Amino acid sequence: QVQLVESGGGLVQPGGSLRLSCAASGSIFSINVMGWYRQAPGKQRELVATIRSGGSTNYADSVKGRFTISRDNAKNTVYLQMNSLKPEDTAVYYCKMALRGYDGYVHDYWGQGTQVTVSS
């Protein structure tokens, strides 16, 4: 029904930048919340940032001042601009969307994940 496709991951040196994208397609009435999570090997998945339909945002303390989340409602797409990257940011990054279908109910969907590696 609904599919989330991520892109933009890769290898970058410490201090560098990357921009992740996640586009949703399918039967979507509206998207309430878009967010990014990450999971390092042997670690639990953790919340990185969220953005609501009204534009309000929240960030994990570890990324405040370095990462910026944004959305393009016309394209059903969420972005994560990552600056001043550190080795500790290395993880698989997943996007998540809480969206309302034409059935009137809110459903959660996840992207496939994209690898971000920060290393010299």
Side-chain angles (χ1 to χ4, degrees), residues 32-106:
N32 181 214
V33 183
M34 298 180 175
W36 289 95
Y37 293 73
R38 66 186 182 186
Q39 187 168 25
K43 301 287 187 178
Q44 291 186 248
R45 186 160 50 190
E46 64 177 355
L47 177 66
V48 176
T50 61
I51 183 167
R52 297 187 176 274
S53 59
S56 62
T57 58
N58 285 285
Y59 297 92
D61 289 341
S62 59
V63 307
K64 286 181 179 177
R66 300 188 298 120
F67 291 10
T68 302
I69 188 171
S70 61
R71 61 191 287 170
D72 185 334
N73 292 329
K75 297 180 179 180
N76 288 334
T77 299
V78 62
Y79 305 94
L80 185 68
Q81 179 66 47
M82 304 183 294
N83 299 325
S84 301
L85 283 162
K86 305 175 180 179
E88 305 93 277
D89 296 317
T90 296
V92 177
Y93 284 69
Y94 299 89
C95 66
K96 178 186 177 182
M97 297 188 188
L99 59 86
R100 191 177 301 276
Y102 287 99
D103 60 2
Y105 292 92
V106 175

Side-chain angles (χ1 to χ4, degrees), residues 5-21:
V5 179
E6 302 180 28
S7 63
L11 174 65
V12 64
Q13 293 184 328
S17 298
L18 284 174
R19 190 181 76 157
L20 306 182
S21 300

